[in-house]
Amino acid sequence: MEGPGVGAGDALLILALETSCDETAAALVEDGHIRSNVVSSQADLHARFGGVVPEVASRRHLELVMPVVREALAEADAMLGDVDTIAVTQGPGLIGALLVGLSAAKALAWGRDLPLAPVNHLHGHVASLYLEPDPLEPPFLCLLASGGHTLLVDVPERGAFRRLGTTIDDAAGEAFDKGARLLGLGYPGGAEIDRLAREGDPEAFDFPVARVPGLDFSFSGVKTALLYAARDLGDEFSERRADLAASYQRAIVRALVQRTQEAAEQTGAERLAVVGGVAANSELRASLPDAKAPPLALCTDNAAMIASAARYVQAIPPPGYLALDAYASAL
Ligand code: KG4
Ligand code: ZN
C-alpha cells in the first residue's frame, strides 16, 4: 500500500506546482474546488525533436515557472498571502525538470513560512478524480495510463493505492507517441492518432498486443508490428495512414480494456476509473463506458491534480522540507 493517508486537510488554500515533464503548471485548489488551473505546454518546443528533450525542458520550466504561478494567483483572484500550503510534484519524472518545480516551491514556502507537501505524480493522476464538481469516492479500481506509466491500481481510500500491474516495457502513451512518429504525425502523438483514427478502419490491420502474465502490460511489440506493416505498404503508405492509425489505436485500447476487465473480475471491484493522458483517448473512453474519467484538461499533466493529492499528504513545516530531493523513478 502506498501513501500515508493523513493529509494537509481540506479547508485550506493550496498552491500546487507541477513540472515533472514538459508541462509547466500551477493551480490553486480550495476544499477540492479548482480556483485556477494554469498549464503552459512546451509541446511545440519539443515537437521538432519528436519527443521531450530533458535539458530543454528544464530550461523552459525555469523561464515559465514564476509567470505561471503569478497567472494562477491572478486567475484565482488570490495573493500569496492567502495561501495555506504549497504543494509540488517530487517525482517520478525528469529529474532536472522536477528540481525546477521543487526549488521554486521551496522558495515560495520559505518566503512565506508555509508548510510544503511533496506529492507523488502518480497519486496526483489518481487524485484528479477527487476534484469537484463530481468527485469519485474510493474504493475503486483505476487504470492509470500516461506517457511515462501504465498501471492498474486498487484504490481503497483517498491518498493510498495498491499496485496490481504495470507495464514491463513501454507505457501506453509512449506507444502512442512512438507510433505517431512512425506515421509522420506530430508530437505529442496520442491526440494526433486519436484524430486520424476517426477517418480509418480499425479492422484493416491486425496488430496483436503481447499478453504477459499477471495483470502487467507490454507495448513494445505492437509498435514493431506497426513498423513492419508501414514498411510492407511501400508506396501505398500515405493513403493507408488513417487505417494504420485506427488499427494501432484499436490494439492498444483493446489491451488496456482487457486487462482492466480482468483486474475488475479478480478484485471484485464495483467501480472503475481511468486517469492520465491516455484517458483523454476517445476510443478508450467509449470502450470503458462505466469507468469514471476526469474531464480532458485533468487527464493530461496539470497542477490541480497535485493540489488534490496534497490534501492526503502530511505537509512538512519549515525548515524540514529544505532537504527534500526529487526522484526520477516510481517508488
Ligand atoms: O499524463 P500525461 O500528460 O503525462 C505523463 O505523466 O506522462 O500523458 C501524456 C501522454 C502522451 O503520451 C500523449 O500522447 C498521451 O498522453 N495522450 C493521448 C491522448 N492525449 C494525450 N493518448 C491517446 N489519445 C489521446 N487523445
Ligand atoms: Zn502525468
Side-chain angles (χ1 to χ4, degrees):
M1 194 82 80
E2 293 180 18
V6 199
D10 260 346
L12 289 173
L13 183 60
I14 301 177
L15 165 61
L17 276 65
E18 151 64 41
T19 64
S20 67
C21 191
D22 62 342
E23 259 96 33
T24 316
L28 279 126
V29 171
E30 188 168 26
D31 200 12
H33 293 273
I34 301 175
R35 284 185 49 179
S36 64
N37 188 23
V38 178
V39 180
S40 175
S41 176
Q42 305 179 6
D44 292 348
L45 186 66
H46 298 282
R48 64 194 158 112
F49 305 110
V52 180
V53 183
E55 185 54 28
V56 173
S58 307
R59 284 163 195 256
R60 194 71 182 131
H61 282 307
L62 203 52
E63 289 167 359
L64 290 173
V65 69
M66 289 321 292
V68 165
V69 165
R70 271 195 285 275
E71 197 177 324
L73 284 166
E75 252 180 44
D77 200 17
M79 298 198 302
L80 205 47
D82 302 326
V83 172
D84 296 296
T85 300
I86 306 285
V88 65
T89 307
Q90 189 184 9
L94 301 170
I95 199 77
L98 288 162
L99 283 171
V100 174
L102 185 60
S103 308
K106 284 179 185 176
L108 287 166
W110 184 253
R112 287 272 157 187
D113 204 25
L114 295 173
L116 184 111
V119 174
N120 177 310
H121 185 81
L122 305 179
H123 281 269
H125 275 299
V126 175
S128 63
L129 294 160
Y130 307 144
L131 290 160
E132 297 291 341
D134 189 19
L136 182 68
E137 267 324 304
F140 56 84
L141 173 76
C142 186
L143 169 68
L144 192 175
S146 70
H149 302 273
T150 302
L151 299 174
L152 272 166
V153 295
D154 179 36
V155 184
E157 60 183 84
R158 289 188 177 194
F161 66 59
R162 188 167 61 94
R163 245 167 248 242
L164 303 172
T166 186
T167 178
I168 59 165
D169 41 56
D170 291 351
E174 202 177 346
F176 271 108
D177 293 338
K178 287 178 178 170
R181 204 159 147 186
L182 234 144
L183 293 173
L185 301 170
Y187 171 85
E192 299 272 335
I193 290 194
D194 201 345
R195 216 167 295 133
L196 185 60
R198 279 176 210 150
E199 299 159 26
D201 173 7
E203 303 297 337
F205 297 89
D206 185 23
F207 292 136
V209 173
R211 278 182 68 79
V212 288
L215 291 172
D216 288 338
F217 300 91
S218 166
F219 292 107
S220 65
V222 70
K223 86 188 171 231
T224 313
L226 174 66
L227 173 71
Y228 289 150
R231 201 182 280 166
D232 290 348
L233 282 171
D235 292 345
E236 264 183 74
F237 170 71
S238 299
E239 66 198 70
R240 301 295 305 279
R241 278 199 328 165
D243 287 344
L244 287 167
S247 305
Y248 187 67
Q249 173 170 286
R250 171 66 52 92
I252 296 173
V253 167
R254 225 178 235 160
L256 291 171
V257 170
Q258 260 177 18
R259 277 278 126 115
T260 305
Q261 284 166 346
E262 282 164 21
E265 274 162 33
Q266 283 183 27
T267 57
E270 284 176 10
R271 266 173 297 187
L272 286 183
V274 48
V275 299
V278 179
N281 185 266
S282 58
E283 186 170 349
L284 179 62
R285 289 170 94 95
S287 307
L288 286 171
D290 299 331
K292 166 106 174 138
L296 293 189
L298 296 176
C299 289
T300 43
D301 286 348
N302 64 87
M305 70 183 197
I306 302 302
S308 179
R311 290 185 291 161
Y312 312 101
V313 169
Q314 189 71 61
I316 306 169
Y321 54 72
L322 292 176
L324 282 181
D325 209 352
Y327 50 87
S329 314
L331 293 178

